[in-house]
Amino acid sequence: MQKKKPIVESLEHFRQQQNVSFHVPGHKYGELSHLPQAFKDVMRYDVTELSGLDDFHHPEEMILEAENLLADTYGTMKSFFLVNGSTVGNLAMIYATCKKGDTIIVQRNAHKSIFHAIELVGVKPVYVSPMWDERTLTATYIAYEHLKEAVNQYPEAKAVVLTYPTYYGMASKEIQQQIAYCHEKNIPVLVDEAHGAHFSACTLFQPSALIFGADVVVQSAHKTLPAMTMASFMHVNSELVSIDKVNHYLRMLQSSSPSYVLLASLDDARYYVQTYMESDGAYIIEKKAQWVEALRAIGSLEVIEVDDPLKLLLRVNGYSGFQLQEVLEAQNIYAELADAHQVLFVLPLLKQGHTYPFADIRVRIKDAVTDLLGTEKCNIVTAMHTTYNFTAVTKPELTFEEIERKDKEWLPYMRAMGRIAASMIIPYPPGIPLLVPGEKITVAKLSQLEELLATRASFQGNHRLEEKMIEVIK
């Protein structure tokens, strides 16, 4: 097994040389910084493209070696380190497969970066609605028959974009069949696997979309691997997608001043996956099972397991996820997100020998639930039962380019039914747009919006929701 960490080792060697800096960055290895000492220690590694430290946009030395090890770890033709998050990978894969005016088929509960890529490239999206899961109370994955319907209706599509797994950890059982069908039609499949970088670590986890033949896969190493925020991977494993084109757009879209601290973090995260054993996977699964059993003994607390072993949903009947989040944070427990119904936990990808204070955390969760039960219930959650019967395959009424030329107006959202959305409205987290420009506003969408507002959800996008107003085409 290859146990090198080329970037980490080269940066450590460089630091030990006691070099003098007459180059950027201006903090001079942290000497001029007034940050706390822990920050300044990291700054010793915050360097630039110097002799012996390779060039991120034209790697020939340590970065190339580290990316080759990444490709070997994930079994791909070519893999890249990303320092601008999975967002830049999602942008690059759409730029590399589509040009202005092309049609692209997109899973509707995609991340906002996918919609931004659609707008920037100028492609025409066709949306496939995900199925609703009553157990997790989330939108999950798309059905094979619905994807097939979209491909048959729009055979000119240049790419299909899937999200696997969902933010909540649900993984499609039909993705292999979906990819195979798209390949029969010579259509590449691009997968936003932001939350699945750990899938390849162990066969006890869900398989990565790479195993099922996905052409391009983007992963947020920082979400479930021990990597720093923004540190991500991009994998190309296809004859249908040009590696040179992907590389070309990554050079254009990524920073010309990459963080070597993030690159070292990616090198280390890749090493973590490569050295992860089946016994490590069995260890975290067993630890989680014991903890879930202990949590379920807490009165009124509902624990929902999902496909991804690192994700867990917690619910207290009659209370919103935002209310539960508040009492958990009072106990210094911070969830990944809250929604109208529940909170989402992202568990650590432990190896054998790693400890985590599960017993102490369980005590604090119990105290939080006790505190919550002493407060007033959220009536809107108790009454909430929206019907999610969306049309399987839809095409926006207007393209992003057409929207730009149209006049717009602000309306009270309850008067906007049947109108065309002019701005994106994004509950965040998870960053999946509720309204996308060009789509017709439906009763179901307005019901969701009202429920989210009633439970104090946070929103991104161009909106005036504090005034109950949204922007529509005039």
Side-chain angles (χ1 to χ4, degrees), residues 262-287:
L262 290 184
L263 288 173
S265 173
L266 283 166
D267 193 21
D268 184 62
R270 185 275 314 158
Y271 174 85
Y272 196 87
V273 172
Q274 193 163 44
T275 57
Y276 201 86
M277 310 295 289
E278 293 294 303
S279 54
D280 295 322
Y283 175 76
I284 180 58
I285 288 171
E286 176 60 25
K287 283 288 181 187

Side-chain angles (χ1 to χ4, degrees), residues 45 80 85 92 100 131 140 156 232 279 313 342 389:
Y45 300 92
F80 300 91
K100 185 176 178 179
M131 295 180 287
T140 57
E156 73 278 12
S232 298
S279 54
L313 301 175
Q342 58 217 347
N389 54 345

Side-chain angles (χ1 to χ4, degrees), residues 242-474:
S242 164
I243 292 171
D244 289 340
K245 268 192 173 183
V246 170
N247 197 16
H248 170 72
Y249 285 108
L250 285 177
R251 287 174 179 173
M252 290 176 66
L253 295 165
Q254 294 210 88
S255 172
S256 59
S257 301
S259 165
Y260 272 74
V261 177
L262 290 184
L263 288 173
S265 173
L266 283 166
D267 193 21
D268 184 62
R270 185 275 314 158
Y271 174 85
Y272 196 87
V273 172
Q274 193 163 44
T275 57
Y276 201 86
M277 310 295 289
E278 293 294 303
S279 54
D280 295 322
Y283 175 76
I284 180 58
I285 288 171
E286 176 60 25
K287 283 288 181 187
K288 177 194 172 185
Q290 293 171 359
W291 194 53
V292 166
E293 186 179 355
L295 290 177
R296 283 180 172 149
I298 298 173
S300 301
L301 182 67
E302 188 179 355
V303 183
I304 299 95
E305 295 185 79
V306 294
D307 298 328
D308 182 353
L310 297 190
K311 298 286 177 73
L312 204 61
L313 301 175
L314 301 185
R315 243 181 250 155
V316 177
N317 189 36
Y319 294 89
S320 75
F322 302 105
Q323 288 174 293
L324 179 55
Q325 180 183 43
E326 190 174 335
V327 293
L328 287 171
E329 290 182 359
Q331 296 287 336
N332 297 320
I333 297 171
Y334 285 81
E336 169 65 14
L337 65 81
D339 64 25
H341 305 280
Q342 58 217 347
V343 297
L344 171 66
F345 280 5
V346 181
L347 276 59
L349 183 65
L350 301 180
K351 289 186 176 183
Q352 285 187 95
H354 285 169
T355 59
Y356 212 71
F358 287 117
D360 173 62
I361 296 166
R362 190 255 182 200
V363 171
R364 285 192 270 161
I365 291 174
K366 184 177 180 180
D367 289 343
V369 171
T370 300
D371 292 341
L372 182 61
L373 294 173
T375 64
E376 188 177 345
K377 288 190 175 184
C378 180
N379 292 329
I380 184 70
V381 174
T382 306
M384 203 182 286
H385 199 279
T386 303
T387 302
Y388 295 89
N389 54 345
F390 301 138
T391 306
V393 180
T394 61
K395 194 170 185 179
E397 304 290 320
L398 300 171
T399 66
F400 283 99
E401 190 175 8
E402 289 168 335
I403 290 163
E404 207 169 310
R405 297 195 297 265
K406 296 282 186 181
D407 291 332
K408 303 166 186 70
E409 63 179 335
W410 292 92
L411 275 186
Y413 69 81
M414 291 311 290
R415 284 175 45 205
M417 187 181 69
R419 300 292 293 272
I420 296 172
S423 297
M424 205 173 286
I425 295 181
I426 311 160
Y428 202 90
I432 296 163
L434 176 64
L435 295 181
V436 173
E439 285 186 321
K440 191 166 281 189
I441 300 169
T442 63
V443 173
K445 293 285 186 185
L446 292 175
S447 297
Q448 273 187 282
L449 179 60
E450 192 166 32
E451 289 171 358
L452 287 163
L453 287 168
T455 51
R456 295 179 294 156
S458 297
F459 293 88
Q460 292 182 346
N462 184 29
H463 63 78
R464 284 163 45 189
L465 290 174
E466 66 283 351
E467 305 168 44
K468 298 190 175 181
M469 305 278 279
I470 60 174
E471 192 177 30
V472 298
I473 300 300
K474 198 167 183 177

Side-chain angles (χ1 to χ4, degrees), residues 105 144 147-148 150-160 178-188 240:
I105 296 170
Y144 170 68
L147 176 63
K148 194 173 178 181
V151 170
N152 289 336
Q153 279 187 43
Y154 301 94
E156 73 278 12
K158 298 299 181 185
V160 166
Q178 292 171 342
I179 292 170
Y181 185 76
C182 291
H183 285 173
E184 283 177 21
K185 305 296 183 180
N186 217 37
I187 301 173
L240 296 178

